[in-house]
Amino acid sequence: MAKLNFITLGIESSCDETGVGLYHSEFGLIGHQLFSSVEIHSEYGGVVPELASRDHIQRILPLIKTVLTNAKFTLQDLNGIAYTAGPGLAGALLVGSALAKSLAWSLGVPSLAVHHMEGHLLAPLLEESQPKFPFVALLVSGGHTMLIDVKAIGQYKILGKSLDDAVGEAFDKTAKILGLGYPGGPALEKLAKQGNTNTFKFPLPMVDRPGLDFSFSGLKTFARNTFTKHPNKKSDIAKSFEVATTQILMIKCRRALEKTGRITLVVAGGVSANLSLRKELNQMGRKVGVNIFYPRQEFCTDNGAMIALAGHFRLSHGQCDINYEINIKPRWSVEELSQIK
């Protein structure tokens, strides 16, 4: 049984965004702050792990102070501290883990390692309109693309995943090919609004065979070859790439729903902010009678609110780290997580 009046601090530091969230068992999310180091990395065309780690060190304590002050709480009011332990960049994860464990030890409260993708998966539960278990989850981010059958918190079965690039990675790489800079996903989506859908027809890898796995590296190659031949058609290439990726994701989601018999779909992760993807999935949902849930735009990308929420569910039910040793899991499958009892 969950504990009442339990306050959880969540810390996210898996990549290039430093996030802090505060979750209350009675009032829900009562505060969150986020700082992105995108401008630092844009100069290099992608995330530089060492720079990301240094920025986490600089930003994380001021963010925690701001969240607590705004919510009118102190460190002594905390009942548990959750932190992203993986997957992610090892150096960045160590910053969050070290701080979380140190704070927890000094305050005499439990700490908990949170799976980054479980945070994304549960992010729609921060909304007023929430999905009910069981459901199928499509997790689409810069590092992951996977379909998961979700029976309950901690009961996850991977139905399919990308065999090469994640869809967010494919967006970034294609944007780089088109000279759009970093981060590429939002820039490509913006450019695609000016494009013609019918100028180019991109392939739809792996939709003509059974199964729920994905492949996106071929789309990136097709985009490069098309751009080489038609350098003045950037917006049309961006539009065709976006249409192809959206079609692939929609087709696979529909298959997953049919296979599992679920009537609810959760879509989360950075790419879930893409409006064309949401439009296509919503049309599919209305057609087949499936309810679809997304996080609000600010909780699609990495954030501390989702880590506070995921950590709260487990900490308030008595789950916690067995000690205060600093451990991370840069590679970590959601299927390894335990169910909340």
Side-chain angles (χ1 to χ4, degrees):
M1 181 179 293
K3 299 177 183 178
L4 299 177
N5 297 319
F6 197 96
I7 303 173
T8 303
L9 177 72
I11 298 173
E12 158 60 25
S13 67
S14 64
C15 191
D16 60 342
E17 287 160 321
T18 312
V20 174
L22 197 63
Y23 195 90
H24 192 288
S25 55
E26 182 179 356
F27 304 112
L29 183 68
I30 54 177
H32 68 96
Q33 289 286 319
L34 181 71
F35 184 88
S36 175
S37 58
V38 162
E39 288 187 8
I40 297 173
H41 305 290
S42 61
E43 179 181 350
Y44 303 94
V47 177
V48 181
E50 178 64 22
L51 295 181
S53 301
R54 291 180 184 180
D55 202 61
H56 288 312
I57 293 171
Q58 181 179 354
R59 306 293 178 181
I60 199 164
L61 281 173
L63 288 178
I64 291 174
K65 183 178 180 179
T66 299
V67 167
L68 289 170
T69 300
N70 290 347
K72 296 181 171 54
F73 285 97
T74 67
L75 287 171
Q76 286 67 36
D77 294 315
L78 299 177
N79 301 109
I81 300 177
Y83 61 95
T84 302
L89 302 175
L93 293 169
L94 281 170
V95 175
S97 174
L99 179 61
K101 291 292 188 79
S102 300
L103 275 178
W105 177 82
S106 66
L107 297 170
V109 300
S111 63
L112 179 73
V114 171
H115 194 292
H116 180 74
M117 299 312 294
E118 182 174 55
H120 277 304
L121 187 154
L122 299 177
L125 297 180
L126 291 165
E127 306 305 322
E128 185 174 339
S129 177
Q130 302 177 359
K132 294 182 179 180
F133 298 95
F135 55 77
V136 168
L138 171 67
L139 301 184
V140 277
S141 68
H144 298 83
T145 300
M146 61 180 72
L147 281 162
I148 303 175
D149 185 33
V150 180
K151 293 183 179 180
I153 297 177
Q155 278 192 289
Y156 308 131
K157 180 181 179 182
I158 297 175
L159 302 171
K161 58 184 179 181
S162 179
L163 303 180
D164 39 57
D165 292 347
V167 65
E169 184 181 6
F171 264 90
D172 285 341
K173 289 181 177 179
T174 300
K176 189 173 184 179
I177 290 168
L178 298 178
L180 302 181
Y182 177 86
L188 190 144
E189 180 182 7
K190 182 179 180 180
L191 180 62
K193 293 177 181 178
Q194 307 170 27
N196 187 326
T197 307
N198 301 316
T199 303
F200 303 109
K201 185 174 179 59
F202 275 48
L204 304 180
M206 297 189 72
V207 301
D208 58 350
R209 67 182 74 176
L212 296 170
D213 288 331
F214 302 89
S215 174
F216 294 103
S217 64
L219 287 180
K220 171 195 63 183
T221 302
F222 194 89
R224 178 185 290 110
N225 293 339
T226 304
F227 180 60
T228 299
K229 297 177 182 177
H230 306 279
N232 296 321
K233 297 285 187 178
K234 285 186 178 183
S235 60
D236 294 340
I237 294 171
K239 182 64 176 179
S240 298
F241 173 85
E242 184 181 61
V243 167
T245 53
T246 297
Q247 286 293 314
I248 293 168
L249 293 171
M250 186 273 293
I251 291 168
K252 296 288 185 171
C253 283
R254 185 166 181 172
R255 283 187 192 174
L257 291 163
E258 292 172 351
K259 178 179 179 179
T260 59
R262 307 296 186 210
I263 59 171
T264 301
L265 175 68
V266 162
V267 186
V271 181
S272 70
N274 184 284
L275 297 181
S276 293
L277 174 62
R278 291 192 178 203
K279 180 180 179 181
E280 194 74 28
L281 288 174
N282 288 339
Q283 289 178 348
M284 181 269 291
R286 288 191 292 269
K287 185 176 181 180
V288 301
V290 169
N291 297 312
I292 304 180
F293 295 84
Y294 312 88
R296 72 191 76 165
Q297 292 281 324
E298 65 182 314
F299 294 152
C300 289
T301 55
D302 298 348
N303 62 86
M306 69 181 191
I307 302 304
L309 174 71
H312 174 80
F313 281 135
R314 294 182 176 277
L315 282 164
S316 62
H317 282 80
Q319 293 188 13
C320 63
D321 295 335
I322 59 174
N323 55 49
Y324 293 116
E325 292 181 3
I326 299 170
N327 295 310
I328 58 171
K329 298 181 179 180
R331 295 184 180 276
W332 189 9
S333 172
V334 293
E335 292 183 327
E336 297 175 22
L337 298 177
S338 60
Q339 182 182 357
I340 289 179
K341 297 180 181 179

